[in-house]
Amino acid sequence: MKNFFLCCSVLFCLLSVRAQAEGRFTVLLDAGHGVETPGKRSPDGFREAVWCRSEVQELRQSLSQSEFDVFCVTPEDEDVKIPERVARINKVCDERGAKNCLLISLHCNASPGQGWHSACGFMVFVSEKNASNNSKRFAQLIFDEAERHRLLGNRSIPAEHYWQKDLGILRDSHCPAVLIEAGFMDCKTDLDFLRSNLGQQTIVEMTVNAIRAYKAELGID
């Protein structure tokens, strides 16, 4: 009988925790590409996926210490196809409520062709076909953070503060969603910044600041 009541108590606690979690604001973090994806690296071998996964972990640690729940969409090193990423995202959205979720897909940019290039700057994308007002608002907030940190370059100049593109992970996710290109890994200036401790910390800080501002505007507890 004692064990029966103990089991009931544990079950009640688990259900209570889940009920509380369903109302918490959840940030979904997606790391771009896989470690061995062809291309997706600088002329001197800097791998986009390695940087993105490291940055996602830093973001996860920073966000988890405050008022957010965090879900890593791509914890593995291998590339995960877009439909599988979307399925993982939407499963969380269905459990937590899409209005309580925000997707950030983190990438590094590159210009077409081989070698070093002059294209540079921070860019943020929303879906071309069905971006919600909340997606666009968060994109504006993160772009404003990039401008405040002087990360804008010759590719980060859209009048609306974001670019629109038909990307499956943005188009098919149920929650507000943005894709960040933190800088160009085939631009030496951008790459030096991305590689530095200051650069990595800055991207984390500005993303967290934008998420907090977005959450406050929505009035979500």
Side-chain angles (χ1 to χ4, degrees):
M1 182 63 69
K2 182 178 180 180
N3 289 339
F4 171 78
F5 283 115
L6 178 61
C7 290
C8 289
S9 177
V10 171
L11 178 60
F12 176 78
C13 289
L14 290 174
L15 290 173
S16 297
V17 169
R18 181 178 179 183
Q20 292 171 5
E22 286 176 348
R24 283 173 60 85
F25 190 76
T26 301
V27 181
L28 298 100
L29 299 174
D30 173 59
H33 308 292
V35 173
E36 299 301 330
T37 302
K40 308 303 178 185
R41 63 197 69 190
S42 70
D44 62 356
F46 170 85
R47 299 191 184 195
E48 176 183 1
V50 173
W51 183 88
C52 289
R53 278 159 176 74
S54 174
E55 200 73 355
V56 160
Q57 290 307 315
E58 292 295 327
L59 269 170
R60 181 179 188 177
Q61 182 176 358
S62 180
L63 291 167
S64 297
Q65 292 173 351
S66 53
E67 67 273 23
F68 304 100
D69 284 348
V70 184
F71 178 80
C72 290
V73 177
T74 47
E76 56 270 90
D77 288 336
E78 295 78 20
D79 206 350
V80 178
K81 300 299 183 185
I82 296 300
E84 173 60 24
R85 294 180 189 234
V86 169
R88 296 176 184 183
I89 292 162
N90 289 341
K91 184 176 185 295
V92 176
C93 291
D94 291 344
E95 292 174 350
R96 300 296 182 94
K99 68 181 180 65
N100 293 322
C101 297
L102 172 68
L103 168 67
I104 300 171
S105 185
L106 188 61
H107 294 253
C108 299
N109 217 333
S111 299
Q114 303 296 316
W116 299 100
H117 298 274
S118 60
C120 62
F122 182 95
M123 300 172 68
V124 58
F125 291 82
V126 299
S127 174
E128 182 178 40
K129 292 188 174 181
N130 60 347
S132 66
N133 289 334
N134 284 346
S135 296
K136 294 175 181 178
R137 181 55 185 150
F138 180 75
Q140 290 175 331
L141 289 168
I142 189 68
F143 189 90
D144 288 345
E145 282 289 320
E147 185 173 25
R148 186 170 71 84
H149 285 87
R150 300 182 179 179
L151 301 186
L152 304 190
N154 55 24
R155 291 296 183 271
S156 42
I157 54 174
E160 299 295 332
H161 305 303
Y162 51 77
W163 297 78
Q164 293 184 277
K165 193 171 182 179
D166 187 22
L167 301 171
I169 196 165
L170 303 181
R171 181 191 65 238
D172 298 333
S173 294
H174 293 166
C175 63
V178 302
L179 185 146
I180 290 172
E181 298 279 11
F184 283 73
M185 58 186 172
D186 54 3
C187 169
K188 290 183 178 179
T189 302
D190 276 9
L191 183 60
D192 287 345
F193 177 76
L194 292 171
R195 277 176 163 160
S196 69
N197 289 333
L198 174 62
Q200 293 164 16
Q201 292 168 5
T202 297
I203 297 297
V204 169
E205 176 187 333
M206 57 188 271
T207 305
V208 172
N209 287 345
I211 294 170
R212 285 178 173 156
Y214 171 82
K215 180 173 175 281
E217 284 191 8
L218 293 182
I220 298 175
D221 293 332

